[in-house]
């Protein structure tokens, strides 16, 4: 395998970081009384991205042996990787500014939050474009993958912030009803985009069909159906749909739903990375 779990971890954490910042921005605008949870969400966004970048540097070929190679990424503005580095740097800068304002107990300017959310969207999409730039595997080189990673990143970031929020102040999280609807909509959207991507990839080439087969019925089938579909999508959707109908959220169910989304978010990236290159091993 060319890339493995560390790269999957980076892709997951970058997407979750983007989603966490966006979630914190929504909390700031709609639930200003929950400012501490928004603050925690921005800390989570910053920490997640930092850990993800460390994973990327450890896994990158000759990354630690020759760290100077990373500076070459700034020198080619026509490259998707270079554009991604620009996005990461700007997103980190905006996140740090937001955190400084939090420490100073200053209100987050709407313009700053807007720019941060745009950069978060670009960051989540970039993680999908990055794979297509790295190698022309059918599972990586398709238009649906960046969309899928954006939706999954939003879901993972939301789950991460809500999980932290439940630990800090469960009642405040339960009052954020807009996120209950998001918890129902996002798994459906992710499942739909995932289905479309798999259909396009499987019908586009024999290599693509082989990758999809490995994911659905081959060596990665258990991880796909149990880890991604059941734990990561169906279970959180069922919990959020039930909670929305009952207009209440059990504490235990809330934790299960959030953790399930995070597990599914990582499994999605791992499966996309692993199943794409399985054709090289046969």
């Amino acid at each position: 395998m060319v890339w493995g779990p560390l790269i999957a971890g980076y892709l997951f954490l970058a997407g979750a970081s983007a989603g966490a910042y966006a979630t914190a921005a929504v909390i700031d605008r709609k639930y200003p009384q929950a400012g501490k949870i928004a603050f925690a969400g921005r800390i989570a966004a910053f920490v997640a991205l930092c850990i993800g970048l460390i994973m990327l540097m450890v896994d990158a070929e000759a990354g630690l042996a020759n760290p100077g190679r990373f500076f070459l990424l700034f020198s080619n503005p026509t490259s998707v990787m270079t554009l991604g580095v620009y996005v990461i740097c700007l997103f980190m800068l905006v996140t740090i500014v937001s955190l400084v304002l939090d420490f100073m107990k200053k209100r987050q300017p709407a313009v700053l939050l807007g720019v941060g959310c745009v950069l978060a969207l670009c960051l989540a999409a970039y993680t999908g474009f990055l794979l297509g730039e790295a190698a022309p595997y059918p599972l990586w080189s398709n238009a649906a993958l960046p969309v899928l990673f954006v939706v999954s990143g939003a879901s993972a970031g939301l789950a991460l912030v809500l999980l932290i929020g439940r630990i800090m102040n469960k009642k405040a999280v339960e009052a954020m009803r807009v996120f209950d609807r998001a918890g129902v909509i996002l798994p459906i959207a992710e499942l739909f985009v995932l289905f479309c991507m798999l259909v396009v990839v499987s019908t586009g080439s024999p290599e693509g069909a082989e990758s999809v087969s490995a994911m659905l019925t081959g060596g990665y089938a258990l991880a796909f159906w149990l880890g991604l579909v059941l734990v990561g999508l169906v279970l959180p959707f069922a919990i959020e749909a039930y909670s929305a109908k009952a207009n209440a959220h059990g504490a235990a169910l809330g934790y299960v739903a959030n953790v399930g989304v995070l597990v599914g978010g990582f499994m999605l990236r791992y499966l996309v990375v692993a199943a794409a290159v399985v054709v090289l091993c046969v």
Side-chain angles (χ1 to χ4, degrees):
M1 184 184 298
V2 179
W3 279 352
L6 281 177
I7 289 297
Y10 159 67
L11 297 173
F12 165 68
L13 289 171
S17 173
Y21 185 92
T23 300
V26 173
I27 294 175
D28 269 319
R29 305 309 297 176
K30 294 189 67 69
Y31 306 102
Q33 70 277 11
K36 290 184 178 179
I37 296 178
F39 176 38
R42 280 186 281 272
I43 292 177
F46 180 76
V47 172
L49 186 55
C50 287
I51 295 174
L53 290 174
I54 292 172
M55 289 181 171
L56 177 64
M57 288 187 288
V58 169
D59 195 73
E61 183 180 354
L64 295 181
N66 185 11
R69 292 180 59 184
F70 286 107
F71 291 100
L72 296 176
L73 291 174
F74 291 91
S75 63
N76 185 11
T78 62
S79 167
V80 170
M81 291 185 180
T82 299
L83 294 175
V85 171
Y86 293 162
V87 168
I88 290 172
C89 291
L90 291 173
F91 179 74
M92 289 281 280
L93 177 62
V94 169
T95 303
I96 290 172
V97 171
S98 291
L99 288 174
V100 169
L101 291 175
D102 283 326
F103 279 115
M104 296 174 63
K105 300 188 183 302
K106 301 284 188 179
R107 183 176 175 83
Q108 299 287 325
V111 173
L112 180 66
L113 293 178
V115 171
C117 287
V118 171
L119 290 171
L121 174 63
C122 294
L123 174 61
Y126 157 71
T127 59
F129 287 116
L130 172 64
L131 293 178
E133 175 82 357
Y137 301 131
L139 200 56
W140 295 358
S141 301
N142 65 87
L145 185 60
V147 178
L148 179 61
F149 277 9
V150 167
V151 177
S152 177
S155 186
L158 172 61
L160 179 60
V161 174
L162 293 185
L163 185 62
I164 296 171
R166 291 182 197 283
I167 297 173
M168 295 175 58
N169 188 340
K170 184 177 73 69
K171 290 184 178 181
V173 171
E174 301 302 332
M176 300 176 187
R177 306 305 300 177
V178 66
F179 293 135
D180 290 343
R181 295 190 292 273
V184 174
I185 295 171
L186 287 173
I188 296 176
E190 185 174 344
L191 189 60
F192 174 75
V193 179
L194 175 63
F195 172 77
C196 292
M197 186 186 76
L198 294 180
V199 170
V200 170
V201 171
S202 64
T203 57
S205 68
E207 294 80 10
E210 191 171 352
S211 292
V212 173
S213 177
M215 192 183 294
L216 300 183
T217 60
Y220 299 105
L222 182 62
F224 178 84
W225 293 109
L226 179 61
L228 173 55
V229 175
L230 181 60
V231 174
L233 294 173
V234 174
L235 182 61
F237 167 77
I239 291 175
E240 295 296 348
Y242 167 77
S243 301
K245 183 177 181 180
N247 199 32
H249 219 318
L253 289 179
Y255 285 116
V256 170
N258 296 152
V259 172
V261 169
L262 294 174
V263 170
F266 173 77
M267 291 307 303
L268 171 65
R269 274 80 173 175
Y270 175 73
L271 288 166
V272 167
V273 169
V277 299
V278 72
V279 294
L280 299 180
C281 304
V282 296

